[in-house]
Amino acid sequence: MIDTMTPRDITRQHWIETTNPALEGRLATQFALANGTLGVRGSHEEMPGWGSPGFYLAGTYCAAPQALIPIHTPDHILTHPERVKPEHHADYTTLNTMPNLPNPVAVRLWVGEEHIELEKVSLLACERLLAMETATLSRRLVFRDNAGRRTIVDSERFVSWASPRLVCFRYAVTTEHDAPVRVEPIINTNVANGRGFRLFSVDAETQTPGLNTVTVTTTAPGHTVHIAQAYRVTTDGRTTVLEVAACVGPDADAEAQAAIAAGYDAARAAHVAAVQAATERAGAGFTADGLSMQGFRFAQLHLEMALCQDNPHVGVPIKGLTGDGYRFMVFWDTDFHMFPYYLLTNPAQAKNHILYRYHLLDAARANARAWGYRGAQVPWETGTTGEEETAPWLNLQERELHISADAAYAVKLYDDLTDDPALLVTHGAEIVFETARFFASRVTWTGSRYELRDIGCPDQYHTFADNNIFISRMAQWNLRYAAELAADPRLAGVRLKLGLTDAEAAEFTTIADGLYIIQPNAEGVIEEFDGFFTRSTDLRGISESFCEHSQAVKQPDVLCCFIPFGDEYSQDVQQANWRYYAARTMHGSSLSLPGMALAAAQCGLLDEAWSYFQRAGRMDLDDLNQNTSLGVHLAGYAVMWATLVRGFGGLTPTRDGLTITPRLPAGWRDLHYAAHWRGCRVTVVLTHEALTITADPANPRAVPVTAGGKTVDVMAGETVTVA
Ligand code: BGC
């Protein structure tokens, strides 16, 4: 419940006092809770017409009409009528998304005879407060009804981190009058996705004392979802308390009833214990200004809330389960930006992402064939089918090629940084070989070199280009890694299965060596793609639909290159590129601000890094890009974490150990993070005076740490301090 006596703490809480319906979309996102399996937007329990509710179940992708998202207008940079290939979307009349399911965090409230509707009563106060340390949302609502009576409602909810299919809330109504109060939970079926599309039909609804249920079937492929809501109401005359446990799945009735029999407090305690365990496992933070600290904590909370536990069949949707923007699709953001977060904080679960891409490999092979290539072309956007689901008018699906290499890159990171060598043999290598095959078939031989022509830059303001630095470097890396793995005798069986000959592996090397990679110019600046430097430097009037002619970029691809390949570029070159692209980056993507922060931290521009880092943390809390209503910007949050750990924290994990080159910003007092490496876990604390590394007592081996010019083996349970 909201504690009105203790002062608010911006570093641990996010709160807003408003009933302005116009803000409801963004607030429902800001106060969303999830556990990777279920997600509930932070909308009001009384379900006002202006509310923005959302209740999502991972993996329930189903068909929506194409009109769910607007087709971009022809002058939009991503739309190029001559390039649209009609055969690829002739029958493209549906898009997949996840349905906004009937919402079980909902009530009907009566005071006396009056049914309380937020639209009709006088709202005197309404505060929502997200407690980030417990992943709970509280709300205090004070209203005067049409008979002039004042009533206070205190509610609290959580999406259980202890029981993946459980959502609980408590709703306490305190009166300052003698009229009776009646409160009933409902499972609200009057909900829809964006643009009003309802993507389920109700098969059955039951209401018995203490238990409500709803069963729905979604649009094709027709998932049946059963939702149960068990509850109990108690009163002491002044305060009426409703406790609700809602569950999803075939056993939901019994699970919800068991939860409510044990009581809200017991379910809450289990949830909070699980949140604390996650903090212990993954916790990171720093001491600086409150806004930055709040932004970072919010970011990490969402990364934790987005990961579906123990499920290798769903990827991390781009906005987690907080909103239906980008239709819950899985993009490169998960492989390239989020995967390192999960790998270094939760390797056992990170493995599921590799398995997810592996399970969809046949679809990626079909995708490559459909575009006329070999191997596996990872779809730019997909849910659980592995089919390419990018809206075709975007022209990105055959052009954002790097995603195939990004998936292979996750395999390499996993193999290097865990003590699970088997995964490479059973699953990982197949991804690497097949994506390398794709690139080998995608390159063009010009007579003197290989090129990657006709690609869409990740920057997305230049969707029709040749030889983008990030794509070409990732492709080259993928080919080389595949060639290296081909020589590994443990992978002979995989090669046999795929028919990968020595000649083909040698060809990977030949193509990688001959692939054209743009080099820094005399000033050290790397051209993003062929001809970028000849584009206009006049950035006046730039917008997403007026940018292709110019050097404006949505997000800085060249700087993104320094994430995997920073070692190969001098600090001067990195700084020159940072300055050059900082002046041209429009931040149309949420990856952009933290990307600039990470790149700045990595090349020692610490003030700049902090400034971008701080802004990145406000992406959703201050709705910087005016699209928070569609869900949080998860991948940007992963890049923020990377900025803290890799950038400021200076961590470079390799197969051989951890190297730490601290770069604490002058205005920060300290920072800390946990990192998992090859079956071990260490915590790192950095101040301006010292670096302290503590190894878990349970670590199976020593962790080699290189810092301050020395390498030390940090033994299990040991703490080492480097001045
Ligand atoms: C970015 C892409 C990203 C997508 C989903 C776009 O704005 O340009 O790089 O994959 O958002 O986050």
Side-chain angles (χ1 to χ4, degrees):
M1 300 290 150
I2 288 188
D3 172 1
T4 49
M5 302 309 287
T6 313
R8 300 280 178 267
D9 177 354
I10 197 171
T11 68
R12 294 180 161 74
Q13 298 168 325
H14 167 57
W15 65 95
I16 283 182
E17 160 70 66
T18 183
T19 53
N20 180 354
L23 298 178
E24 196 51 30
R26 83 167 69 150
L27 297 185
T29 297
Q30 287 178 7
F31 292 103
L33 295 173
N35 62 10
T37 299
L38 295 175
V40 179
R41 281 167 64 78
S43 50
H44 298 286
E45 290 86 340
E46 299 79 9
M47 308 165 294
W50 44 261
S52 180
F55 183 54
Y56 309 114
L57 171 62
T60 52
Y61 293 93
C62 64
Q66 186 170 301
L68 184 73
I69 51 174
I71 296 186
H72 290 280
T73 52
D75 65 347
H76 189 287
I77 188 60
L78 300 178
T79 301
H80 194 308
E82 287 164 29
R83 308 302 297 270
V84 173
K85 295 183 174 152
E87 66 273 23
H88 288 291
H89 66 107
D91 60 353
Y92 205 86
T93 52
T94 60
L95 295 164
N96 286 328
T97 185
M98 295 210 295
N100 185 2
L101 291 166
N103 200 309
V105 187
V107 300
R108 285 209 185 98
L109 170 65
W110 288 264
V111 175
E113 293 305 306
E114 186 176 343
H115 175 216
I116 301 302
E117 294 175 77
L118 298 195
E119 294 92 331
K120 294 187 181 156
V121 296
S122 166
L123 296 170
L124 305 177
C126 178
E127 183 181 30
R128 266 174 281 191
L129 182 145
L130 172 67
M132 294 190 270
E133 281 170 321
T134 52
T136 52
L137 169 63
S138 323
R139 191 198 63 171
R140 167 161 285 198
L141 175 76
V142 185
F143 64 86
R144 194 177 299 288
D145 62 31
N146 288 304
R149 297 168 294 216
R150 229 175 87 105
T151 302
I152 299 170
V153 179
D154 280 307
S155 57
E156 186 191 70
R157 70 176 75 163
F158 60 88
V159 179
S160 177
W161 289 25
S163 307
R165 290 170 173 272
L166 175 67
V167 176
C168 295
F169 71 99
R170 176 153 56 193
Y171 188 91
V173 187
T174 304
T175 56
E176 296 181 351
H177 50 78
D178 294 327
V181 159
R182 184 154 63 95
V183 55
E184 290 173 358
I186 71 157
I187 302 174
N188 182 17
T189 53
N190 187 19
V191 291
N193 280 60
R195 301 189 142 206
F197 291 115
R198 186 168 308 174
L199 303 180
F200 59 81
S201 57
V202 178
D203 302 334
E205 273 186 275
T206 66
Q207 277 126 29
T208 52
L211 184 72
N212 298 329
T213 71
V214 168
T215 308
V216 298
T217 299
T218 70
T219 53
H223 303 281
T224 296
V225 181
H226 180 70
I227 304 167
Q229 187 188 50
Y231 63 94
R232 113 175 128 206
V233 183
T234 53
T235 183
D236 66 3
R238 265 290 163 244
T239 302
T240 303
V241 180
L242 166 72
E243 291 186 354
V244 178
C247 282
V248 175
D251 304 324
D253 298 15
E255 283 173 22
Q257 284 172 314
I260 216 64
Y264 177 89
D265 286 335
R268 186 187 193 280
H271 161 70
V272 171
V275 176
Q276 283 163 351
T279 307
E280 172 74 8
R281 166 176 51 70
F286 55 94
T287 312
D289 62 293
L291 285 179
S292 299
M293 291 170 70
Q294 187 193 46
F296 182 78
R297 213 184 273 267
F298 183 82
Q300 198 178 11
L301 175 69
H302 274 286
L303 287 164
E304 288 292 317
M305 293 202 296
L307 187 67
C308 188
Q309 307 288 315
D310 304 322
N311 190 338
H313 296 285
V314 299
V316 181
I318 187 66
K319 291 173 180 298
L321 299 174
T322 65
D324 63 7
Y326 284 126
R327 298 175 291 121
F328 303 94
M329 291 293 147
V330 179
F331 291 66
W332 76 302
D333 308 53
T334 307
D335 307 85
F336 189 80
H337 293 297
M338 296 185 217
F339 182 77
Y341 171 78
Y342 294 120
L343 179 64
L344 283 178
T345 59
N346 198 353
Q349 295 294 335
K351 177 177 182 172
N352 286 326
H353 179 69
I354 310 277
L355 297 177
Y356 163 77
R357 285 293 188 210
Y358 180 83
H359 290 143
L360 302 181
L361 210 47
D362 275 342
R365 290 181 177 111
N367 191 33
R369 280 198 303 276
W371 292 105
Y373 303 113
R374 290 188 291 118
Q377 183 175 354
V378 176
W380 176 239
E381 297 181 30
T382 196
T384 47
T385 63
E387 283 165 24
E388 177 58 79
E389 307 219 31
T390 308
W393 53 87
L394 291 175
N395 282 297
L396 296 173
Q397 55 275 59
E398 86 280 28
R399 324 182 56 74
E400 283 265 21
L401 303 186
H402 57 95
I403 188 167
S404 295
D406 303 332
Y409 178 66
V411 171
K412 159 97 168 127
L413 290 180
Y414 185 87
D415 191 55
D416 277 356
L417 303 182
T418 68
D419 60 353
D420 178 13
L423 194 74
L424 183 69
V425 181
T426 53
H427 300 83
E430 201 169 323
I431 298 176
V432 177
F433 290 144
E434 288 288 67
T435 49
R437 262 185 178 158
F438 162 67
F439 285 114
S441 67
R442 179 61 171 76
V443 292
T444 304
W445 173 249
T446 65
S448 58
R449 64 191 187 190
Y450 293 98
E451 295 195 3
L452 267 172
R453 291 182 174 171
D454 199 14
I455 47 71
C457 300
D459 127 39
Q460 291 193 351
Y461 284 180
H462 303 97
T463 301
F464 303 95
D466 298 330
N467 299 314
N468 170 271
I469 180 73
F470 182 75
I471 296 182
S472 295
R473 286 233 49 168
M474 288 302 292
Q476 182 185 55
W477 169 86
N478 195 162
L479 289 158
R480 288 202 170 125
Y481 185 45
E484 181 191 320
L485 292 186
D488 185 334
R490 291 175 307 152
L491 303 174
V494 185
R495 286 185 51 178
L496 200 62
K497 175 180 170 190
L498 302 179
L500 179 65
T501 61
D502 287 347
E504 192 177 3
E507 193 196 12
F508 290 164
T509 305
T510 307
I511 296 172
D513 291 349
L515 187 63
Y516 170 53
I517 303 287
I518 296 177
Q519 298 301 318
N521 68 10
E523 285 76 46
V525 179
I526 301 168
E527 191 171 34
E528 184 184 298
F529 57 88
D530 284 353
F532 177 83
F533 286 158
T534 63
R535 305 264 167 143
S536 168
T537 53
D538 180 356
L539 304 189
R540 285 173 300 181
I542 289 298
S543 71
E544 257 198 61
S545 35
F546 180 65
C547 47
E548 196 183 26
H549 63 284
S550 77
Q551 290 190 7
V553 299
K554 183 180 186 184
Q555 61 212 55
D557 294 356
V558 173
L559 306 185
C560 197
C561 243
F562 300 150
I563 298 178
F565 308 116
D567 287 356
E568 297 168 40
Y569 297 95
S570 70
Q571 176 158 313
D572 286 349
V573 165
Q574 292 189 41
Q575 289 194 353
N577 281 282
W578 194 91
R579 295 204 165 90
Y580 187 88
Y581 285 102
R584 289 158 175 77
T585 302
M586 302 295 130
H587 308 300
S589 163
S590 63
L591 293 170
S592 185
L593 290 170
M596 297 292 302
L598 175 57
Q602 282 187 311
C603 69
L605 299 172
L606 298 187
D607 288 345
E608 290 86 343
W610 180 13
S611 159
Y612 277 89
F613 178 90
Q614 189 177 46
R615 285 161 64 197
R618 307 310 300 171
M619 179 54 66
D620 293 306
L621 291 169
D622 292 338
D623 198 6
L624 296 190
N625 282 9
Q626 303 283 298
N627 58 8
T628 291
S629 59
L630 301 175
V632 298
H633 293 85
L634 264 188
Y637 294 155
V639 184
M640 279 188 75
W641 174 87
T643 305
L644 182 87
V645 172
R646 294 189 51 162
F648 299 137
L651 177 73
T652 306
T654 66
R655 183 177 276 276
D656 302 323
L658 306 177
T659 300
I660 304 179
T661 314
R663 293 178 281 247
L664 190 63
W668 287 26
R669 202 170 76 204
D670 52 52
L671 69 75
H672 68 273
Y673 56 86
H676 294 241
W677 175 86
R678 301 191 73 83
C680 302
R681 178 180 165 279
V682 297
T683 51
V684 176
V685 178
L686 177 64
T687 64
H688 288 286
E689 290 72 45
L691 168 69
T692 306
I693 304 130
T694 304
D696 256 20
N699 284 354
R701 64 168 73 98
V703 180
V705 178
T706 304
K710 297 194 295 233
T711 300
V712 283
D713 280 338
V714 187
M715 311 304 287
E718 195 185 2
T719 294
V720 170
T721 299
V722 183

mmCIF file with all atom_site columns, all heavy atoms in Angstrom, residues 47 90 250 392 464 471 566 693:
data_model
loop_
_atom_site.group_PDB
_atom_site.id
_atom_site.type_symbol
_atom_site.label_atom_id
_atom_site.label_alt_id
_atom_site.label_comp_id
_atom_site.label_asym_id
_atom_site.label_entity_id
_atom_site.label_seq_id
_atom_site.pdbx_PDB_ins_code
_atom_site.Cartn_x
_atom_site.Cartn_y
_atom_site.Cartn_z
_atom_site.occupancy
_atom_site.B_iso_or_equiv
_atom_site.pdbx_formal_charge
_atom_site.auth_seq_id
_atom_site.auth_comp_id
_atom_site.auth_asym_id
_atom_site.auth_atom_id
_atom_site.pdbx_PDB_model_num
ATOM 1  N N   . MET A 1 47  ? -11.283 0.347   -14.497 1.00 0.00 ? 47  MET A N   1
ATOM 2  C CA  . MET A 1 47  ? -11.436 0.260   -15.948 1.00 0.00 ? 47  MET A CA  1
ATOM 3  C C   . MET A 1 47  ? -12.149 1.456   -16.567 1.00 0.00 ? 47  MET A C   1
ATOM 4  O O   . MET A 1 47  ? -13.175 1.296   -17.255 1.00 0.00 ? 47  MET A O   1
ATOM 5  C CB  . MET A 1 47  ? -12.207 -1.016  -16.326 1.00 0.00 ? 47  MET A CB  1
ATOM 6  C CG  . MET A 1 47  ? -11.654 -2.254  -15.749 1.00 0.00 ? 47  MET A CG  1
ATOM 7  S SD  . MET A 1 47  ? -12.855 -3.587  -15.880 1.00 0.00 ? 47  MET A SD  1
ATOM 8  C CE  . MET A 1 47  ? -14.154 -3.016  -14.806 1.00 0.00 ? 47  MET A CE  1
ATOM 9  N N   . ALA A 1 90  ? 1.957   -10.425 -51.574 1.00 0.00 ? 90  ALA A N   1
ATOM 10 C CA  . ALA A 1 90  ? 0.712   -10.427 -52.334 1.00 0.00 ? 90  ALA A CA  1
ATOM 11 C C   . ALA A 1 90  ? -0.458  -10.830 -51.445 1.00 0.00 ? 90  ALA A C   1
ATOM 12 O O   . ALA A 1 90  ? -1.529  -10.239 -51.502 1.00 0.00 ? 90  ALA A O   1
ATOM 13 C CB  . ALA A 1 90  ? 0.836   -11.372 -53.516 1.00 0.00 ? 90  ALA A CB  1
ATOM 14 N N   . PRO A 1 250 ? -4.466  -24.205 -17.997 1.00 0.00 ? 250 PRO A N   1
ATOM 15 C CA  . PRO A 1 250 ? -5.471  -25.243 -17.749 1.00 0.00 ? 250 PRO A CA  1
ATOM 16 C C   . PRO A 1 250 ? -5.741  -25.464 -16.255 1.00 0.00 ? 250 PRO A C   1
ATOM 17 O O   . PRO A 1 250 ? -6.857  -25.789 -15.870 1.00 0.00 ? 250 PRO A O   1
ATOM 18 C CB  . PRO A 1 250 ? -4.864  -26.491 -18.373 1.00 0.00 ? 250 PRO A CB  1
ATOM 19 C CG  . PRO A 1 250 ? -3.678  -26.069 -19.146 1.00 0.00 ? 250 PRO A CG  1
ATOM 20 C CD  . PRO A 1 250 ? -3.336  -24.667 -18.797 1.00 0.00 ? 250 PRO A CD  1
ATOM 21 N N   . PRO A 1 392 ? 5.780   -5.749  -44.912 1.00 0.00 ? 392 PRO A N   1
ATOM 22 C CA  . PRO A 1 392 ? 6.581   -5.750  -46.144 1.00 0.00 ? 392 PRO A CA  1
ATOM 23 C C   . PRO A 1 392 ? 6.872   -4.368  -46.694 1.00 0.00 ? 392 PRO A C   1
ATOM 24 O O   . PRO A 1 392 ? 7.897   -4.167  -47.327 1.00 0.00 ? 392 PRO A O   1
ATOM 25 C CB  . PRO A 1 392 ? 5.729   -6.567  -47.118 1.00 0.00 ? 392 PRO A CB  1
ATOM 26 C CG  . PRO A 1 392 ? 4.380   -6.639  -46.528 1.00 0.00 ? 392 PRO A CG  1
ATOM 27 C CD  . PRO A 1 392 ? 4.518   -6.466  -45.058 1.00 0.00 ? 392 PRO A CD  1
ATOM 28 N N   . PHE A 1 464 ? 18.582  1.865   -48.481 1.00 0.00 ? 464 PHE A N   1
ATOM 29 C CA  . PHE A 1 464 ? 19.020  1.346   -49.780 1.00 0.00 ? 464 PHE A CA  1
ATOM 30 C C   . PHE A 1 464 ? 20.460  1.782   -49.981 1.00 0.00 ? 464 PHE A C   1
ATOM 31 O O   . PHE A 1 464 ? 20.736  2.887   -50.451 1.00 0.00 ? 464 PHE A O   1
ATOM 32 C CB  . PHE A 1 464 ? 18.103  1.869   -50.887 1.00 0.00 ? 464 PHE A CB  1
ATOM 33 C CG  . PHE A 1 464 ? 16.673  1.489   -50.615 1.00 0.00 ? 464 PHE A CG  1
ATOM 34 C CD1 . PHE A 1 464 ? 15.819  2.362   -49.963 1.00 0.00 ? 464 PHE A CD1 1
ATOM 35 C CD2 . PHE A 1 464 ? 16.206  0.233   -50.951 1.00 0.00 ? 464 PHE A CD2 1
ATOM 36 C CE1 . PHE A 1 464 ? 14.521  1.990   -49.658 1.00 0.00 ? 464 PHE A CE1 1
ATOM 37 C CE2 . PHE A 1 464 ? 14.901  -0.139  -50.648 1.00 0.00 ? 464 PHE A CE2 1
ATOM 38 C CZ  . PHE A 1 464 ? 14.059  0.740   -49.997 1.00 0.00 ? 464 PHE A CZ  1
ATOM 39 N N   . ILE A 1 471 ? 27.127  -3.930  -40.989 1.00 0.00 ? 471 ILE A N   1
ATOM 40 C CA  . ILE A 1 471 ? 26.684  -5.187  -41.596 1.00 0.00 ? 471 ILE A CA  1
ATOM 41 C C   . ILE A 1 471 ? 27.888  -5.960  -42.134 1.00 0.00 ? 471 ILE A C   1
ATOM 42 O O   . ILE A 1 471 ? 28.032  -7.168  -41.909 1.00 0.00 ? 471 ILE A O   1
ATOM 43 C CB  . ILE A 1 471 ? 25.653  -4.934  -42.715 1.00 0.00 ? 471 ILE A CB  1
ATOM 44 C CG1 . ILE A 1 471 ? 24.385  -4.312  -42.109 1.00 0.00 ? 471 ILE A CG1 1
ATOM 45 C CG2 . ILE A 1 471 ? 25.338  -6.214  -43.470 1.00 0.00 ? 471 ILE A CG2 1
ATOM 46 C CD1 . ILE A 1 471 ? 23.268  -4.067  -43.100 1.00 0.00 ? 471 ILE A CD1 1
ATOM 47 N N   . GLY A 1 566 ? 35.675  -2.865  -30.991 1.00 0.00 ? 566 GLY A N   1
ATOM 48 C CA  . GLY A 1 566 ? 36.352  -1.675  -30.468 1.00 0.00 ? 566 GLY A CA  1
ATOM 49 C C   . GLY A 1 566 ? 37.857  -1.845  -30.352 1.00 0.00 ? 566 GLY A C   1
ATOM 50 O O   . GLY A 1 566 ? 38.625  -0.913  -30.615 1.00 0.00 ? 566 GLY A O   1
ATOM 51 N N   . ILE A 1 693 ? 36.848  -6.685  -6.083  1.00 0.00 ? 693 ILE A N   1
ATOM 52 C CA  . ILE A 1 693 ? 36.214  -7.813  -6.772  1.00 0.00 ? 693 ILE A CA  1
ATOM 53 C C   . ILE A 1 693 ? 36.000  -8.914  -5.741  1.00 0.00 ? 693 ILE A C   1
ATOM 54 O O   . ILE A 1 693 ? 36.953  -9.335  -5.080  1.00 0.00 ? 693 ILE A O   1
ATOM 55 C CB  . ILE A 1 693 ? 37.117  -8.348  -7.902  1.00 0.00 ? 693 ILE A CB  1
ATOM 56 C CG1 . ILE A 1 693 ? 37.461  -7.200  -8.866  1.00 0.00 ? 693 ILE A CG1 1
ATOM 57 C CG2 . ILE A 1 693 ? 36.452  -9.486  -8.661  1.00 0.00 ? 693 ILE A CG2 1
ATOM 58 C CD1 . ILE A 1 693 ? 38.900  -7.083  -9.150  1.00 0.00 ? 693 ILE A CD1 1
#
